[in-house]
Amino acid sequence: MQSDVELVKKTLNGKKEFFGELVDRYETPIRTYIKRITNWDWMSVEDICQEVFLKAYANLQSFDLKLKFSSWLYRIAHNQAVDFL
């Protein structure tokens, strides 16, 4: 299993399919986190979750490889949920 940083590096090097592995890895935990903090229906949670991954992909070049990818992703999820609230 490749580390998050390895997947981020490969994605940044033009191999976009590796971002899909990050989505697969974090989609359920991010969805659960958003549900827990918003208590909204699953359809709304899914919309927010999709926005989280779109933002993460769009801003991947700003991710500091010295930090944990999951913490960065959860911060995006938190901010998206607050924005939607």
Side-chain angles (χ1 to χ4, degrees), residues 18-81:
F18 286 99
F19 190 76
E21 290 188 41
L22 290 166
V23 172
D24 291 344
R25 189 174 290 178
Y26 288 104
E27 186 175 24
T28 299
I30 291 294
R31 193 182 303 128
T32 302
Y33 175 73
I34 293 167
K35 174 70 172 165
R36 191 176 65 222
I37 64 174
T38 64
N39 199 30
W40 286 349
D41 62 279
W42 284 106
M43 185 74 82
S44 297
V45 168
E46 188 61 38
D47 289 344
I48 297 169
C49 188
Q50 185 175 15
E51 288 294 320
V52 167
F53 286 104
L54 288 172
K55 268 200 171 164
Y57 184 78
N59 294 291
L60 198 58
Q61 73 284 349
S62 69
F63 171 65
D64 184 348
L65 295 172
K66 296 176 205 140
L67 303 176
K68 280 185 71 174
F69 178 78
S70 60
S71 298
W72 183 73
L73 190 61
Y74 274 91
R75 175 53 51 195
I76 294 171
H78 179 84
N79 290 343
Q80 280 299 114

